[in-house]
Amino acid sequence: MTGEPRQQSAPVVRPAVWETYGPADLSAVPVFAGGFINFGYWKAVDLERPLSQSDRVRSERDLYRHVLDAAAPGGGRAVEIGCGLGVGCALALEEYRPADITGVDIHPQQLQRARDVNAPLLETRPRRLRFVQGAAESLPFGDGEFDCLYSVEAAQHFPDLDAFARETARVLRPGGRVAVASFFTVEGTPPQAERLAGLLDSFASGLDIARPVSGLTDALADAGLIDVRARSIGAQVWPGWDRWLARLWKPGSWPRNFLAAWEQRILDYYLVTATRP
């Protein structure tokens, strides 16, 4: 793998992010499975029958596949922002065959877990996989290092989408693709931060940040990217996620309010894509 990360001071981690992905270790919570930390893309899962652990893992893997299909990393150099335990990097490496892949996460404990989980791959393919600490707003790479940049359910934590977009444009090569999957407030509705904080503890605590999807699409366009598009995939995310939560959480408990927020047109899940000219 060519190109070593630029030396930078350790990024500042927001307190809610530090606790959730460090000492609390969100990946160990039973509703997540297989080392992934995402709500899942449930299109291929039959929601009319009882869900299994394998259904849950498939939904998480399929969300990565949906994003990677849009990012088109085959043969090029890829970087994942907010890689968590790095199992999505391993999936991308095995199924999409980029030349190499770099997983970036802001949290040092997550990076250590990623290196532990992926120790066999790191040993057998050291030139094709690496994990690097960095913030989405200040990536530790040179200009034009990557052919594709993708992120799966991490952008809701990024404090500065404009800076993330500028960094995305900077580290992509001409023709490079970006694909981001995350949840945002629905466009055209009044500011919903207070309402979301009342429904969902993750917004009340500051872990998730309430912003319209145009906050990202406009930032990418302002950074010089083209063909910027946002597509709702909420119908393939929220009903399946709620069905899975129903195994452990009662109706009215805060995690199940994600479905309520979607049904009330407050929050939705989007796939955002763009290209560097």
Side-chain angles (χ1 to χ4, degrees), residues 30 50-51 62 95 159 180 182 204 208 246 277:
L51 298 178
D62 280 355
E95 297 188 9
V180 176
S182 190
D208 298 329

Side-chain angles (χ1 to χ4, degrees), residues 82-202:
C83 68
L85 273 63
V87 290
C89 292
L91 183 152
L93 193 64
E94 293 297 325
E95 297 188 9
Y96 290 80
R97 303 190 180 281
D100 56 59
I101 190 161
T102 299
V104 178
D105 205 278
I106 196 171
H107 205 302
Q109 292 181 35
Q110 286 290 73
L111 288 170
Q112 186 56 55
R113 293 180 187 119
R115 293 183 180 113
D116 292 343
V117 167
N118 294 281
L121 269 178
L122 290 169
E123 183 176 354
T124 59
R125 303 183 186 183
R127 298 181 63 83
R128 296 191 62 203
L129 178 64
R130 64 176 173 175
F131 294 104
V132 175
Q133 186 179 17
E137 300 82 7
S138 181
L139 295 172
F141 308 114
D143 297 351
E145 283 200 28
F146 299 102
D147 298 284
C148 87
L149 179 151
Y150 69 94
S151 182
V152 178
E153 209 164 298
Q156 71 275 9
H157 304 319
F158 299 167
D160 189 338
L161 293 178
D162 289 323
F164 166 62
R166 289 192 296 269
E167 283 293 88
T168 294
R170 183 182 66 79
V171 303
L172 282 176
R173 294 170 180 165
R177 292 278 293 168
V178 54
V180 176
S182 190
F183 46 95
F184 298 88
T185 57
V186 173
E187 206 63 44
T189 59
Q192 298 289 0
E194 185 175 342
R195 196 171 176 191
L196 281 171
L199 283 172
L200 296 161
D201 285 2
S202 59

Side-chain angles (χ1 to χ4, degrees), residues 15 30 43 46 52 54 58 61 67 78 81 100 111 141-142 150 162 164 172 182 201 207 224 235 253 271:
K43 185 176 182 179
D46 182 0
S52 67
S54 62
R58 176 171 186 172
R61 294 174 69 86
V67 173
I81 309 303
D100 56 59
L111 288 170
F141 308 114
Y150 69 94
D162 289 323
F164 166 62
L172 282 176
S182 190
D201 285 2
L207 175 65
S253 54
L271 175 64

